[in-house]
Amino acid sequence: MCQTCQGHGTRLIQLQFLPPVKITCEACHGFRLNPLSLTVEYKGKHLGHVLQMTALEARPFFDAFPKIVKILDTLIAVGLDYLQLGQEVASLSGGEQQRIRLSRELSRRSSGKTLYLLDEPTVGLHSDDIVKLLKIFHQLVDRGNTLVIIEHNLDVIKNADYLFDLGPGAGLAGGQLIAEGTPEELKSN
């Protein structure tokens, strides 16, 4: 971690009559690392450059390291190929955080006895990413795991084995069991 900027990559310059201005740290050049970390290179890139790579860009870069490739492959599989390796956790949406946890589970050896509870994992996702996520859900279930998903996306709902529809409204106006059954049974409800 850069001692000058405390690992932020930027410094605030206080101005007398104006709001503070962020400038790139002159010690680490925005890479957030100490000078020693910036001298170590692999394939012509130092750690700061590697942390700026997306998961998709890093995949071929680390092709000689199977453990790293497996982790990157799971990130790509859950639709997080665009995330930078050094991206701050605070900048991630709730859905992205859930998918990171999901990718961590996918990279582990499964016992087939895990219960996954997901709260609207498709929020903010493009339809292509939802298709990727559904493929992951099917893999988890095929391994013998159980998924309980709170969801409003119809593509996810129609892929469920069994549904519980709660309502009739949200919050205090909800909580009553409106209907339950397979998607085919509830389609006529």
Side-chain angles (χ1 to χ4, degrees):
M1 174 176 77
C2 175
Q3 295 302 313
T4 306
C5 66
Q6 302 304 310
H8 294 288
T10 59
R11 292 189 321 113
L12 283 179
I13 302 296
Q14 298 293 335
L15 302 174
Q16 197 165 12
F17 299 109
L18 297 170
V21 176
K22 272 187 181 180
I23 62 164
T24 302
C25 176
E26 62 278 355
C28 69
H29 305 288
F31 290 114
R32 306 180 331 213
L33 301 169
N34 64 37
L36 180 61
S37 298
L38 296 174
T39 61
V40 178
E41 289 190 1
Y42 175 69
K43 290 187 178 180
K45 296 191 183 292
H46 60 64
L47 185 56
H49 292 130
V50 171
L51 291 175
Q52 288 182 335
M53 288 181 180
T54 64
L56 193 60
E57 294 167 340
R59 172 61 175 84
F61 185 77
F62 288 110
D63 60 356
F65 301 94
K67 286 184 180 182
I68 296 174
V69 166
K70 184 176 182 180
I71 292 167
L72 292 171
D73 282 346
T74 59
L75 284 172
I76 293 167
V78 297
L80 295 175
D81 52 342
Y82 60 89
L83 286 184
Q84 288 184 338
L85 300 183
Q87 190 161 339
E88 295 181 35
V89 173
S91 71
L92 300 174
S93 71
E96 288 170 332
Q97 290 177 22
Q98 283 190 82
R99 287 184 287 148
I100 284 177
R101 285 187 219 106
L102 197 56
S103 74
R104 189 180 316 135
E105 287 295 319
L106 288 171
S107 65
R108 292 180 11 186
R109 186 170 291 151
S110 174
S111 67
K113 298 177 183 177
T114 304
L115 171 65
Y116 294 95
L117 300 172
L118 301 168
D119 184 9
E120 298 195 43
T122 63
V123 169
L125 290 184
H126 186 275
S127 57
D128 291 342
D129 291 327
I130 292 173
V131 170
K132 290 178 185 177
L133 197 57
L134 283 170
K135 199 179 293 186
I136 300 302
F137 292 164
H138 285 288
Q139 286 177 5
L140 290 169
V141 170
D142 291 346
R143 293 180 186 174
N145 299 298
T146 302
L147 273 75
V148 176
I149 304 173
I150 299 166
E151 188 57 74
H152 295 97
N153 181 286
L154 293 177
D155 290 326
V156 175
I157 291 171
K158 71 181 179 186
N159 275 274
D161 291 331
Y162 202 81
L163 300 168
F164 294 96
D165 189 12
L166 301 176
L172 296 176
Q176 303 298 317
L177 182 62
I178 303 298
E180 67 174 294
T182 66
E184 293 77 24
E185 292 169 346
L186 293 185
K187 192 163 56 170
S188 62
N189 185 335

